[in-house]
Amino acid sequence: MDTARTRPTRLDRVFSGIERVGSKLPEPFFLFVYLLAALAVVSTAIAAFGVTVDVPGKDEPVPVRAVLSSEGLVWFLTNFVDNFIGFPPLGTVLAMMLVVGFAERTGFLSAAVTLVFGRAPRWLLPYAVAFVACQAHVMSDPSLIVIPPLAALVFKAAGRHPVAGLVGAFACGATGYGGGILVGSLDGLLVGITEKAVQIAPLGVEVHVHIAMNYFFAATAGLLLPLVGGFLIDRVLEPRLGPWSDPEGEQAAELTAQQRKGVWRAFAVLVGYAVIAFGAWLVPGSFLRGEDGSLVPSPFLSSIVPLIIIAFLLAGLAYGLTAATVTQRGDVPRMMTETVKDMAGYIVFIFVAAQFIALFTWTNLGTLIAIGAADGLRAAHLTGFPAIIVMVLLATVANLFVTSGSALWSLLAPVMVPAFSILGYDPAFIQAAYRIGDSTTQAVSPLNAYVYILLSVNRKYQPETQLGTLLARLSVFVLPFFAVWLLILAVFYFFDLPVGPGSGIRL
């Protein structure tokens, strides 16, 4: 045996330690039960001192509310069911998983992956997966549901560990969320908030605010981060998972002529559907355009989730009818029902997690953390690139508590944009810097509901996987991605490169 190759490296020992600590975390259900109890105590203690938060744009201070008060208990009891049913990701997740599960059970997903990637070089797969995942913000949050399971199938079809593809794709999609070579819904959300923040403090100069004002910066990240992500998947994550052996004994097999025909027919249907959907969006006067005929924002971008749902449903049907995996009408609801059964654990977890997140929002503790940190940064009178780094770190830490990128930027932008604009920085550059914080820690936030979707899918391949183990694997990507993000930002800053068309570093 080659002992030199089997001896643990320092990096192995670090990640083993993270996994040991993480494995001591309770099951997600009980983790949020304990967090609920802690939130009740902390919010009540802070509210007892009459703490308030001055939120830019609001006429009166926002108070921190106590959970253990008559007001808090009444709010909790009267909103208990609504907190669960109205949990924002719940509807999206269930609807997406219904059709993704249907497409998987018809055999379309595995057949399509085999056809497209079956002959691809094994070494290329981690980089291909990382590249696709790092463009994920075009699809918005559904990308974190759709892309990782497909990446797992890609790795499995190539005889590689599917968990490496699954976790790697999620990590790249989340930590690289602010980058990408295409303009997407995230750009529209951020620029709308930035535009309002610019109006808070008159700058005396004309400021160009538009949806592509971060394009050069985001596109650079979308090209460089996949190289880092692919390397981490291939050289760090997958080796730690050990050799893969399918517990069901499945072997990659050549597709039959009927299966190939089914895949090509499904692809043809998807192309036709895309042409119709995008055509209806681009044609002047379309109902899918926004006010005054604008492309962004528009009903088309607001309807990304149902449009994707229809795409999976059409592809699954086209393949299933051709490959004879769907032979009667009852097969469709049956396959969807089986998918819902697989989601039972997630629904139970969300039952308690939704209560914590709703209460956390109601108490205004997240607002207190974000605004308090922003005010502290402004009071420190930092200047130059160190001030930018501190702002990025603030957004990075705050992103652990306020996982909605638009919600967090809504809190930070009214403080950060005017403060840094007064120092001479272009709001486009401030928004670009924020994208780093909004991305880097998203994959390891315990408040990110999509992490628990990932955990449930992970357990299909490794039933014994614990939350701590998963977070340890995801943490592999956080610091390297953060370092590369900062390096890209530094290059733009010190070489005074435009972060987007007509948008520079300084005003």
Side-chain angles (χ1 to χ4, degrees):
M1 178 182 293
D2 188 348
T3 57
R5 298 185 63 181
T6 58
R7 186 181 300 120
T9 64
R10 180 177 298 179
L11 187 63
D12 289 331
R13 290 193 290 271
V14 169
F15 288 126
S16 294
I18 294 174
E19 288 191 14
R20 283 195 299 272
V21 172
S23 64
K24 297 183 183 299
L25 288 174
E27 275 291 303
F29 181 90
F30 290 104
L31 173 63
F32 276 87
V33 169
Y34 302 148
L35 286 174
L36 265 173
L39 175 64
V41 173
V42 171
S43 65
T44 303
I46 294 176
F49 290 93
V51 176
T52 60
V53 188
D54 291 318
V55 179
K58 291 187 178 294
D59 297 330
E60 298 182 359
V62 174
V64 173
R65 297 169 174 151
V67 173
L68 299 179
S69 66
S70 57
E71 180 190 16
L73 293 175
V74 167
W75 186 92
F76 178 65
L77 294 174
T78 56
N79 288 277
F80 188 86
V81 175
D82 290 339
N83 291 342
F84 174 52
I85 300 300
F87 185 60
L90 181 61
T92 299
V93 168
L94 291 180
M96 288 294 300
M97 293 307 296
L98 275 176
V99 291
V100 171
F102 168 69
E104 180 181 11
R105 282 172 168 76
T106 63
F108 167 66
L109 295 185
S110 59
V113 165
T114 300
L115 181 64
V116 176
F117 294 97
R119 300 186 184 278
R122 285 169 52 91
W123 66 267
L124 182 62
L125 295 182
Y127 297 93
V129 163
F131 177 79
V132 172
C134 285
Q135 322 306 319
H137 83 262
V138 173
M139 293 173 58
S140 191
D141 287 354
S143 62
L144 300 178
I145 305 172
V146 174
I147 294 176
L150 293 178
L153 293 177
V154 168
F155 270 58
K156 184 179 178 182
R160 301 188 64 160
H161 207 302
V163 172
L166 177 77
V167 175
F170 183 90
C172 291
T175 52
Y177 194 75
I181 59 176
L182 298 174
V183 175
S185 57
L186 175 66
D187 301 279
L189 286 172
L190 295 183
V191 73
I193 298 168
T194 302
E195 186 174 16
K196 293 179 180 178
V198 168
Q199 299 169 1
I200 293 176
L203 301 176
V205 295
E206 186 178 358
V207 178
H208 299 283
V209 178
H210 55 87
I211 192 169
M213 65 183 188
N214 285 163
Y215 179 74
F216 298 152
F217 175 76
T220 302
L223 292 173
L224 295 181
L225 290 175
L227 300 178
V228 180
F231 178 84
L232 292 172
I233 294 171
D234 187 46
R235 301 298 181 88
V236 181
L237 176 62
E238 190 171 16
R240 291 188 54 78
L241 297 174
W244 165 250
S245 58
D246 196 326
E248 298 178 359
E250 296 179 1
Q251 299 294 327
E254 289 291 327
L255 298 179
T256 65
Q258 193 175 16
Q259 289 173 327
R260 286 178 175 271
K261 183 179 179 181
V263 173
W264 287 118
R265 182 166 293 178
F267 284 168
V269 169
L270 286 176
V271 170
Y273 171 69
V275 169
I276 294 173
F278 280 95
W281 177 42
L282 297 174
V283 67
S286 168
F287 69 96
L288 289 179
R289 286 203 175 202
E291 295 182 9
D292 301 322
S294 64
L295 294 174
V296 180
S298 67
F300 178 85
L301 293 180
S302 301
S303 304
I304 287 293
V305 171
L307 289 172
I308 295 174
I309 287 173
I310 294 171
F312 273 100
L313 185 60
L314 291 176
L317 279 173
Y319 176 86
L321 293 172
T322 305
T325 55
V326 175
T327 58
Q328 53 188 355
R329 286 180 297 179
D331 288 338
V332 177
R334 175 181 59 79
M335 292 178 180
M336 289 186 172
T337 300
E338 292 171 355
T339 300
V340 173
K341 290 179 181 177
D342 293 340
M343 295 297 297
Y346 173 76
I347 295 172
V348 171
F349 152 71
I350 286 299
F351 181 71
V352 63
Q355 306 304 328
F356 171 79
I357 294 173
L359 267 179
F360 185 76
T361 303
W362 179 83
T363 60
N364 292 319
L365 279 179
T367 304
L368 174 67
I369 294 170
I371 296 297
D375 288 341
L377 173 60
R378 185 168 54 180
H381 300 294
L382 287 172
T383 59
F385 196 66
I388 301 297
I389 294 178
V390 173
M391 188 199 78
V392 172
L393 288 171
L394 165 62
T396 300
V397 174
N399 192 45
L400 291 169
F401 304 97
V402 185
T403 55
S404 168
S406 58
L408 180 58
W409 188 227
S410 295
L411 292 174
L412 296 182
V415 177
M416 294 303 183
V417 171
F420 280 90
S421 295
I422 291 172
L423 295 176
Y425 293 104
D426 193 314
F429 178 65
I430 306 307
Q431 179 181 287
Y434 166 76
R435 296 171 86 104
I436 301 176
D438 182 39
S439 304
T440 309
T441 50
Q442 188 176 165
V444 293
S445 171
L447 301 186
N448 184 353
Y450 298 110
V451 169
Y452 302 96
I453 284 287
L454 181 69
L455 179 62
S456 65
V457 178
N458 198 139
R459 285 174 172 171
K460 290 172 58 178
Y461 300 102
Q462 294 179 321
E464 73 286 355
T465 303
Q466 299 298 314
L467 175 61
T469 303
L470 179 62
L471 291 177
R473 292 169 178 171
L474 292 169
S475 69
V476 168
F477 296 79
V478 173
L479 289 180
F481 266 60
F482 184 71
V484 174
W485 267 117
L486 274 185
L487 178 61
I488 295 171
L489 188 70
V491 170
F492 274 83
Y493 179 86
F494 289 108
F495 286 90
D496 199 20
L497 302 175
V499 294
S503 302
I505 304 300
R506 296 172 177 84
L507 293 170

